[in-house]
Short mmCIF file of all heavy atoms in Angstrom, two decimals:
data_model
loop_
_atom_site.label_atom_id
_atom_site.label_comp_id
_atom_site.label_asym_id
_atom_site.label_seq_id
_atom_site.Cartn_x
_atom_site.Cartn_y
_atom_site.Cartn_z
N MET A 637 16.41 63.64 39.40
CA MET A 637 17.83 63.56 39.63
C MET A 637 18.51 62.63 38.63
O MET A 637 19.60 62.91 38.17
CB MET A 637 18.07 63.08 41.07
CG MET A 637 19.49 63.04 41.46
SD MET A 637 20.11 64.71 41.55
CE MET A 637 21.77 64.39 42.00
N ARG A 638 17.83 61.53 38.28
CA ARG A 638 18.46 60.59 37.35
C ARG A 638 18.59 61.20 35.95
O ARG A 638 19.50 60.83 35.22
CB ARG A 638 17.70 59.28 37.30
CG ARG A 638 16.30 59.41 36.74
CD ARG A 638 15.60 58.09 36.72
NE ARG A 638 14.21 58.30 36.41
CZ ARG A 638 13.33 57.36 36.30
NH1 ARG A 638 13.70 56.12 36.50
NH2 ARG A 638 12.09 57.63 36.02
N TYR A 639 17.72 62.14 35.60
CA TYR A 639 17.83 62.79 34.30
C TYR A 639 19.04 63.72 34.26
O TYR A 639 19.74 63.79 33.25
CB TYR A 639 16.57 63.57 33.97
CG TYR A 639 15.35 62.68 33.88
CD1 TYR A 639 14.22 62.94 34.64
CD2 TYR A 639 15.31 61.58 33.03
CE1 TYR A 639 13.10 62.13 34.56
CE2 TYR A 639 14.21 60.76 32.95
CZ TYR A 639 13.10 61.05 33.71
OH TYR A 639 12.01 60.23 33.62
N LEU A 640 19.31 64.38 35.37
CA LEU A 640 20.49 65.25 35.43
C LEU A 640 21.78 64.43 35.36
O LEU A 640 22.74 64.82 34.69
CB LEU A 640 20.47 66.08 36.71
CG LEU A 640 19.41 67.17 36.79
CD1 LEU A 640 19.45 67.84 38.15
CD2 LEU A 640 19.61 68.18 35.68
N VAL A 641 21.78 63.28 36.02
CA VAL A 641 22.95 62.41 35.98
C VAL A 641 23.15 61.87 34.58
O VAL A 641 24.27 61.81 34.06
CB VAL A 641 22.82 61.27 37.02
CG1 VAL A 641 23.92 60.25 36.85
CG2 VAL A 641 22.81 61.84 38.41
N THR A 642 22.06 61.50 33.91
CA THR A 642 22.15 61.00 32.54
C THR A 642 22.68 62.08 31.61
O THR A 642 23.54 61.80 30.76
CB THR A 642 20.77 60.53 32.05
OG1 THR A 642 20.28 59.52 32.94
CG2 THR A 642 20.84 59.99 30.65
N LEU A 643 22.20 63.31 31.75
CA LEU A 643 22.69 64.40 30.91
C LEU A 643 24.15 64.73 31.21
O LEU A 643 24.93 65.02 30.30
CB LEU A 643 21.81 65.64 31.08
CG LEU A 643 20.41 65.54 30.49
CD1 LEU A 643 19.62 66.80 30.80
CD2 LEU A 643 20.48 65.30 29.00
N PHE A 644 24.53 64.66 32.49
CA PHE A 644 25.91 64.93 32.85
C PHE A 644 26.85 63.90 32.22
O PHE A 644 27.85 64.26 31.61
CB PHE A 644 26.05 64.90 34.38
CG PHE A 644 27.48 64.99 34.85
CD1 PHE A 644 28.16 66.19 34.79
CD2 PHE A 644 28.14 63.87 35.31
CE1 PHE A 644 29.48 66.27 35.21
CE2 PHE A 644 29.45 63.94 35.75
CZ PHE A 644 30.12 65.15 35.69
N TRP A 645 26.51 62.62 32.35
CA TRP A 645 27.37 61.58 31.78
C TRP A 645 27.31 61.60 30.26
O TRP A 645 28.32 61.29 29.59
CB TRP A 645 27.00 60.21 32.33
CG TRP A 645 27.62 60.00 33.66
CD1 TRP A 645 26.98 60.01 34.87
CD2 TRP A 645 29.01 59.81 33.95
NE1 TRP A 645 27.89 59.83 35.88
CE2 TRP A 645 29.14 59.70 35.34
CE3 TRP A 645 30.14 59.73 33.16
CZ2 TRP A 645 30.38 59.50 35.95
CZ3 TRP A 645 31.37 59.53 33.77
CH2 TRP A 645 31.47 59.42 35.15
N GLY A 646 26.18 61.95 29.69
CA GLY A 646 26.11 62.11 28.24
C GLY A 646 27.03 63.23 27.77
O GLY A 646 27.71 63.12 26.75
N PHE A 647 27.06 64.31 28.55
CA PHE A 647 27.93 65.45 28.24
C PHE A 647 29.40 65.02 28.29
O PHE A 647 30.17 65.28 27.37
CB PHE A 647 27.66 66.57 29.26
CG PHE A 647 28.49 67.79 29.07
CD1 PHE A 647 28.16 68.73 28.10
CD2 PHE A 647 29.60 68.02 29.87
CE1 PHE A 647 28.93 69.86 27.93
CE2 PHE A 647 30.37 69.16 29.71
CZ PHE A 647 30.04 70.09 28.73
N ILE A 648 29.79 64.32 29.35
CA ILE A 648 31.17 63.89 29.52
C ILE A 648 31.56 62.88 28.43
O ILE A 648 32.60 63.02 27.78
CB ILE A 648 31.40 63.28 30.92
CG1 ILE A 648 31.16 64.33 32.00
CG2 ILE A 648 32.78 62.66 31.04
CD1 ILE A 648 32.11 65.49 31.97
N LEU A 649 30.76 61.86 28.25
CA LEU A 649 31.09 60.83 27.27
C LEU A 649 31.02 61.36 25.83
O LEU A 649 31.74 60.87 24.95
CB LEU A 649 30.18 59.62 27.45
CG LEU A 649 30.38 58.87 28.77
CD1 LEU A 649 29.34 57.76 28.92
CD2 LEU A 649 31.78 58.31 28.86
N GLY A 650 30.17 62.33 25.59
CA GLY A 650 30.14 62.97 24.28
C GLY A 650 31.44 63.69 23.98
O GLY A 650 31.95 63.65 22.85
N HIS A 651 32.00 64.35 24.99
CA HIS A 651 33.28 65.02 24.80
C HIS A 651 34.40 64.01 24.56
O HIS A 651 35.27 64.24 23.72
CB HIS A 651 33.62 65.90 26.01
CG HIS A 651 32.94 67.22 25.96
ND1 HIS A 651 33.49 68.31 25.36
CD2 HIS A 651 31.73 67.62 26.41
CE1 HIS A 651 32.67 69.33 25.45
NE2 HIS A 651 31.58 68.93 26.10
N VAL A 652 34.38 62.92 25.29
CA VAL A 652 35.40 61.89 25.10
C VAL A 652 35.32 61.30 23.69
O VAL A 652 36.34 61.18 22.99
CB VAL A 652 35.26 60.77 26.17
CG1 VAL A 652 36.16 59.60 25.86
CG2 VAL A 652 35.56 61.33 27.55
N ALA A 653 34.12 60.95 23.27
CA ALA A 653 33.94 60.37 21.94
C ALA A 653 34.33 61.36 20.85
O ALA A 653 34.97 60.99 19.86
CB ALA A 653 32.49 59.93 21.75
N PHE A 654 33.97 62.62 21.03
CA PHE A 654 34.29 63.63 20.02
C PHE A 654 35.79 63.87 19.97
O PHE A 654 36.36 64.03 18.89
CB PHE A 654 33.55 64.94 20.33
CG PHE A 654 33.46 65.85 19.16
CD1 PHE A 654 32.41 65.75 18.26
CD2 PHE A 654 34.41 66.83 18.95
CE1 PHE A 654 32.32 66.58 17.18
CE2 PHE A 654 34.34 67.68 17.87
CZ PHE A 654 33.29 67.56 16.98
N TYR A 655 36.44 63.88 21.12
CA TYR A 655 37.89 64.09 21.16
C TYR A 655 38.62 62.95 20.46
O TYR A 655 39.52 63.18 19.64
CB TYR A 655 38.37 64.21 22.60
CG TYR A 655 39.87 64.35 22.71
CD1 TYR A 655 40.48 65.56 22.44
CD2 TYR A 655 40.66 63.26 23.05
CE1 TYR A 655 41.86 65.69 22.53
CE2 TYR A 655 42.03 63.39 23.13
CZ TYR A 655 42.62 64.60 22.88
OH TYR A 655 43.98 64.72 22.95
N ILE A 656 38.24 61.71 20.76
CA ILE A 656 38.89 60.56 20.13
C ILE A 656 38.61 60.54 18.63
O ILE A 656 39.51 60.31 17.83
CB ILE A 656 38.44 59.25 20.81
CG1 ILE A 656 38.97 59.20 22.24
CG2 ILE A 656 38.90 58.03 20.01
CD1 ILE A 656 38.42 58.05 23.05
N GLY A 657 37.38 60.81 18.25
CA GLY A 657 37.04 60.83 16.83
C GLY A 657 37.77 61.91 16.06
O GLY A 657 38.26 61.68 14.95
N SER A 658 37.86 63.09 16.64
CA SER A 658 38.56 64.17 15.95
C SER A 658 40.06 63.91 15.90
O SER A 658 40.72 64.28 14.92
CB SER A 658 38.27 65.52 16.62
OG SER A 658 38.76 65.54 17.94
N ALA A 659 40.61 63.26 16.92
CA ALA A 659 42.04 62.93 16.89
C ALA A 659 42.33 61.87 15.84
O ALA A 659 43.36 61.94 15.16
CB ALA A 659 42.49 62.45 18.26
N LEU A 660 41.45 60.90 15.70
CA LEU A 660 41.65 59.86 14.70
C LEU A 660 41.55 60.40 13.27
O LEU A 660 42.22 59.91 12.37
CB LEU A 660 40.65 58.72 14.90
CG LEU A 660 40.88 57.83 16.12
CD1 LEU A 660 39.72 56.86 16.28
CD2 LEU A 660 42.18 57.09 16.00
N GLU A 661 40.68 61.39 13.08
CA GLU A 661 40.52 61.97 11.75
C GLU A 661 41.52 63.08 11.47
O GLU A 661 41.62 63.54 10.34
CB GLU A 661 39.10 62.51 11.59
CG GLU A 661 38.05 61.43 11.52
CD GLU A 661 36.66 61.99 11.31
OE1 GLU A 661 36.52 63.23 11.22
OE2 GLU A 661 35.73 61.19 11.22
N GLY A 662 42.22 63.54 12.50
CA GLY A 662 43.18 64.61 12.31
C GLY A 662 42.55 65.99 12.30
O GLY A 662 43.17 66.96 11.85
N ASN A 663 41.34 66.11 12.79
CA ASN A 663 40.64 67.39 12.86
C ASN A 663 40.86 68.04 14.21
O ASN A 663 41.31 67.41 15.16
CB ASN A 663 39.14 67.21 12.62
CG ASN A 663 38.85 66.70 11.24
OD1 ASN A 663 39.58 66.96 10.30
ND2 ASN A 663 37.77 65.95 11.11
N GLY A 664 40.48 69.29 14.32
CA GLY A 664 40.56 70.00 15.59
C GLY A 664 39.39 69.66 16.49
O GLY A 664 38.33 69.22 16.05
N TYR A 665 39.58 69.87 17.78
CA TYR A 665 38.54 69.61 18.78
C TYR A 665 37.64 70.82 18.88
O TYR A 665 38.11 71.95 18.98
CB TYR A 665 39.20 69.31 20.13
CG TYR A 665 38.23 69.10 21.25
CD1 TYR A 665 37.47 67.95 21.33
CD2 TYR A 665 38.06 70.06 22.24
CE1 TYR A 665 36.59 67.74 22.36
CE2 TYR A 665 37.17 69.87 23.27
CZ TYR A 665 36.44 68.71 23.34
OH TYR A 665 35.56 68.52 24.35
N ASN A 666 36.33 70.61 18.86
CA ASN A 666 35.36 71.70 18.94
C ASN A 666 34.46 71.46 20.15
O ASN A 666 33.68 70.50 20.18
CB ASN A 666 34.53 71.75 17.65
CG ASN A 666 33.68 73.00 17.59
OD1 ASN A 666 33.33 73.57 18.60
ND2 ASN A 666 33.36 73.41 16.37
N PHE A 667 34.57 72.33 21.14
CA PHE A 667 33.83 72.17 22.40
C PHE A 667 32.32 72.24 22.18
O PHE A 667 31.56 71.48 22.77
CB PHE A 667 34.26 73.25 23.39
CG PHE A 667 33.60 73.13 24.73
CD1 PHE A 667 34.06 72.24 25.67
CD2 PHE A 667 32.49 73.92 25.04
CE1 PHE A 667 33.44 72.13 26.90
CE2 PHE A 667 31.87 73.82 26.26
CZ PHE A 667 32.34 72.93 27.20
N VAL A 668 31.87 73.14 21.32
CA VAL A 668 30.43 73.33 21.10
C VAL A 668 29.81 72.09 20.46
O VAL A 668 28.77 71.60 20.91
CB VAL A 668 30.17 74.59 20.24
CG1 VAL A 668 28.70 74.73 19.90
CG2 VAL A 668 30.68 75.83 20.95
N TYR A 669 30.43 71.57 19.42
CA TYR A 669 29.90 70.38 18.76
C TYR A 669 29.93 69.16 19.69
O TYR A 669 29.01 68.34 19.67
CB TYR A 669 30.67 70.07 17.48
CG TYR A 669 30.43 71.07 16.36
CD1 TYR A 669 31.38 71.27 15.38
CD2 TYR A 669 29.25 71.80 16.29
CE1 TYR A 669 31.17 72.18 14.35
CE2 TYR A 669 29.02 72.71 15.28
CZ TYR A 669 29.99 72.88 14.32
OH TYR A 669 29.77 73.78 13.31
N ALA A 670 30.98 69.05 20.49
CA ALA A 670 31.07 67.95 21.44
C ALA A 670 29.96 68.05 22.49
O ALA A 670 29.38 67.04 22.88
CB ALA A 670 32.44 67.93 22.11
N SER A 671 29.66 69.26 22.94
CA SER A 671 28.59 69.46 23.92
C SER A 671 27.23 69.10 23.33
O SER A 671 26.41 68.45 23.98
CB SER A 671 28.58 70.91 24.40
OG SER A 671 29.78 71.22 25.03
N ILE A 672 27.01 69.52 22.10
CA ILE A 672 25.74 69.21 21.44
C ILE A 672 25.60 67.70 21.26
O ILE A 672 24.53 67.13 21.51
CB ILE A 672 25.65 69.95 20.09
CG1 ILE A 672 25.51 71.45 20.34
CG2 ILE A 672 24.49 69.42 19.25
CD1 ILE A 672 25.63 72.30 19.09
N LEU A 673 26.68 67.04 20.85
CA LEU A 673 26.65 65.58 20.68
C LEU A 673 26.32 64.88 21.99
O LEU A 673 25.46 64.00 22.04
CB LEU A 673 28.00 65.08 20.15
CG LEU A 673 28.19 63.57 20.12
CD1 LEU A 673 27.36 62.95 19.02
CD2 LEU A 673 29.64 63.22 19.97
N GLY A 674 26.97 65.28 23.07
CA GLY A 674 26.75 64.65 24.36
C GLY A 674 25.35 64.86 24.90
O GLY A 674 24.70 63.93 25.38
N LEU A 675 24.87 66.08 24.83
CA LEU A 675 23.53 66.37 25.36
C LEU A 675 22.44 65.71 24.50
O LEU A 675 21.43 65.23 25.02
CB LEU A 675 23.32 67.87 25.46
CG LEU A 675 24.20 68.56 26.51
CD1 LEU A 675 23.97 70.07 26.48
CD2 LEU A 675 23.94 68.00 27.89
N PHE A 676 22.65 65.70 23.19
CA PHE A 676 21.69 65.04 22.31
C PHE A 676 21.62 63.54 22.60
O PHE A 676 20.54 62.95 22.67
CB PHE A 676 22.05 65.27 20.84
CG PHE A 676 21.15 64.57 19.87
CD1 PHE A 676 19.87 65.02 19.65
CD2 PHE A 676 21.59 63.42 19.21
CE1 PHE A 676 19.02 64.36 18.77
CE2 PHE A 676 20.76 62.77 18.34
CZ PHE A 676 19.48 63.23 18.11
N THR A 677 22.78 62.92 22.80
CA THR A 677 22.82 61.50 23.13
C THR A 677 22.13 61.23 24.46
O THR A 677 21.39 60.25 24.59
CB THR A 677 24.28 61.00 23.18
OG1 THR A 677 24.91 61.30 21.94
CG2 THR A 677 24.35 59.52 23.45
N GLY A 678 22.35 62.09 25.45
CA GLY A 678 21.67 61.94 26.73
C GLY A 678 20.16 62.05 26.61
O GLY A 678 19.42 61.28 27.23
N LEU A 679 19.70 62.98 25.79
CA LEU A 679 18.26 63.13 25.59
C LEU A 679 17.66 61.93 24.86
O LEU A 679 16.54 61.52 25.15
CB LEU A 679 17.97 64.42 24.81
CG LEU A 679 18.22 65.71 25.58
CD1 LEU A 679 18.06 66.92 24.66
CD2 LEU A 679 17.29 65.82 26.77
N VAL A 680 18.41 61.37 23.93
CA VAL A 680 17.93 60.17 23.23
C VAL A 680 17.81 59.00 24.20
O VAL A 680 16.83 58.25 24.18
CB VAL A 680 18.87 59.82 22.05
CG1 VAL A 680 18.58 58.43 21.50
CG2 VAL A 680 18.75 60.86 20.95
N VAL A 681 18.78 58.85 25.08
CA VAL A 681 18.74 57.77 26.08
C VAL A 681 17.54 57.96 27.01
O VAL A 681 16.83 57.00 27.32
CB VAL A 681 20.06 57.70 26.87
CG1 VAL A 681 19.93 56.80 28.09
CG2 VAL A 681 21.18 57.23 25.97
N ILE A 682 17.31 59.19 27.45
CA ILE A 682 16.15 59.46 28.31
C ILE A 682 14.86 59.15 27.57
O ILE A 682 13.93 58.56 28.14
CB ILE A 682 16.18 60.93 28.80
CG1 ILE A 682 17.32 61.12 29.80
CG2 ILE A 682 14.85 61.32 29.43
CD1 ILE A 682 17.57 62.56 30.18
N GLY A 683 14.78 59.52 26.31
CA GLY A 683 13.59 59.24 25.51
C GLY A 683 13.36 57.75 25.31
O GLY A 683 12.22 57.27 25.38
N LEU A 684 14.42 57.01 25.06
CA LEU A 684 14.28 55.57 24.87
C LEU A 684 13.83 54.87 26.14
O LEU A 684 13.01 53.95 26.09
CB LEU A 684 15.60 54.97 24.38
CG LEU A 684 15.97 55.24 22.93
CD1 LEU A 684 17.35 54.71 22.63
CD2 LEU A 684 14.95 54.62 22.00
N THR A 685 14.37 55.28 27.28
CA THR A 685 13.95 54.63 28.53
C THR A 685 12.51 54.98 28.89
O THR A 685 11.84 54.19 29.56
CB THR A 685 14.88 55.02 29.69
OG1 THR A 685 14.89 56.42 29.84
CG2 THR A 685 16.29 54.51 29.45
N ALA A 686 12.03 56.13 28.46
CA ALA A 686 10.64 56.50 28.75
C ALA A 686 9.66 55.71 27.88
O ALA A 686 8.50 55.54 28.25
CB ALA A 686 10.45 57.99 28.52
N MET A 687 10.11 55.21 26.74
CA MET A 687 9.22 54.49 25.83
C MET A 687 8.94 53.06 26.27
O MET A 687 7.93 52.49 25.90
CB MET A 687 9.81 54.48 24.41
CG MET A 687 9.78 55.83 23.78
SD MET A 687 10.50 56.02 22.15
CE MET A 687 10.74 54.45 21.49
N PHE A 688 9.84 52.49 27.07
CA PHE A 688 9.66 51.10 27.49
C PHE A 688 8.98 51.06 28.86
O PHE A 688 9.40 51.75 29.78
CB PHE A 688 11.01 50.39 27.58
CG PHE A 688 11.69 50.27 26.24
CD1 PHE A 688 12.80 51.05 25.94
CD2 PHE A 688 11.21 49.40 25.28
CE1 PHE A 688 13.41 50.96 24.72
CE2 PHE A 688 11.82 49.31 24.05
CZ PHE A 688 12.92 50.08 23.76
N PRO A 689 7.95 50.22 28.98
CA PRO A 689 7.26 50.14 30.28
C PRO A 689 8.13 49.47 31.33
O PRO A 689 8.97 48.62 31.01
CB PRO A 689 6.03 49.30 29.98
CG PRO A 689 6.40 48.50 28.79
CD PRO A 689 7.37 49.34 27.99
N LYS A 690 7.90 49.87 32.56
CA LYS A 690 8.64 49.29 33.67
C LYS A 690 7.78 48.24 34.35
O LYS A 690 6.61 48.47 34.63
CB LYS A 690 9.03 50.38 34.66
CG LYS A 690 9.98 51.39 34.09
CD LYS A 690 10.26 52.48 35.09
CE LYS A 690 11.22 53.49 34.54
NZ LYS A 690 10.64 54.41 33.59
N ASP A 691 8.37 47.10 34.64
CA ASP A 691 7.68 46.04 35.35
C ASP A 691 7.81 46.31 36.84
O ASP A 691 8.91 46.34 37.38
CB ASP A 691 8.28 44.69 35.00
CG ASP A 691 7.48 43.53 35.56
OD1 ASP A 691 6.31 43.77 35.97
OD2 ASP A 691 8.00 42.42 35.57
N LYS A 692 6.69 46.53 37.54
CA LYS A 692 6.74 46.88 38.94
C LYS A 692 7.26 45.76 39.83
O LYS A 692 7.78 45.99 40.89
CB LYS A 692 5.36 47.35 39.41
CG LYS A 692 4.94 48.63 38.75
CD LYS A 692 3.74 49.20 39.41
CE LYS A 692 3.28 50.41 38.62
NZ LYS A 692 3.63 51.63 39.20
N LYS A 693 7.15 44.52 39.38
CA LYS A 693 7.65 43.40 40.16
C LYS A 693 9.17 43.36 40.19
O LYS A 693 9.74 42.87 41.13
CB LYS A 693 7.12 42.08 39.59
CG LYS A 693 5.64 41.92 39.70
CD LYS A 693 5.20 40.63 39.08
CE LYS A 693 3.68 40.51 39.10
NZ LYS A 693 3.22 39.31 38.42
N MET A 694 9.80 43.88 39.18
CA MET A 694 11.25 43.80 39.06
C MET A 694 11.97 45.01 39.65
O MET A 694 13.18 45.03 39.70
CB MET A 694 11.65 43.65 37.59
CG MET A 694 11.12 42.40 36.94
SD MET A 694 11.75 40.91 37.70
CE MET A 694 13.42 40.97 37.16
N GLU A 695 11.23 46.02 40.10
CA GLU A 695 11.86 47.22 40.64
C GLU A 695 12.54 46.95 41.97
O GLU A 695 12.01 46.27 42.82
CB GLU A 695 10.83 48.34 40.82
CG GLU A 695 10.60 49.13 39.57
CD GLU A 695 9.74 50.34 39.84
OE1 GLU A 695 9.72 50.84 40.98
OE2 GLU A 695 9.08 50.80 38.90
N VAL A 696 13.72 47.49 42.12
CA VAL A 696 14.46 47.38 43.38
C VAL A 696 14.44 48.74 44.06
O VAL A 696 14.73 49.75 43.44
CB VAL A 696 15.92 46.95 43.11
CG1 VAL A 696 16.70 46.92 44.40
CG2 VAL A 696 15.95 45.62 42.40
N LYS A 697 14.06 48.77 45.32
CA LYS A 697 13.94 50.04 46.01
C LYS A 697 15.08 50.26 46.94
O LYS A 697 15.73 49.51 47.47
CB LYS A 697 12.63 50.13 46.77
CG LYS A 697 11.47 50.17 45.81
CD LYS A 697 10.19 50.36 46.58
CE LYS A 697 9.04 50.39 45.59
NZ LYS A 697 7.80 50.63 46.21
#
């Protein structure tokens, strides 16, 4: 479930970042490129969190 939430927020924040960036540059908004940016960023975040070990003493249940 946390991976779906991460991908969802990556999708949303990718669109926001792409919209602001394209507006600042004076370019048009492209839904496909914004979606790819957001999902790629979400996958990178998931990959980075998987690389670091979790300390079982610090986990909150």
Side-chain angles (χ1 to χ4, degrees):
M637 183 68 180
R638 65 180 170 179
Y639 298 125
L640 291 176
V641 171
T642 303
L643 289 177
F644 173 75
W645 279 106
F647 180 80
I648 297 296
L649 294 175
H651 278 271
V652 171
F654 199 88
Y655 177 77
I656 292 172
S658 63
L660 289 173
E661 291 182 359
N663 296 331
Y665 177 73
N666 190 334
F667 182 81
V668 175
Y669 290 154
S671 298
I672 291 171
L673 171 73
L675 293 177
F676 177 74
T677 305
L679 291 173
V680 167
V681 168
I682 290 171
L684 286 174
T685 57
M687 290 177 14
F688 296 107
K690 295 177 180 77
D691 188 15
K692 294 191 186 257
K693 295 178 184 177
M694 298 298 289
E695 275 189 25
V696 177
K697 293 184 180 183

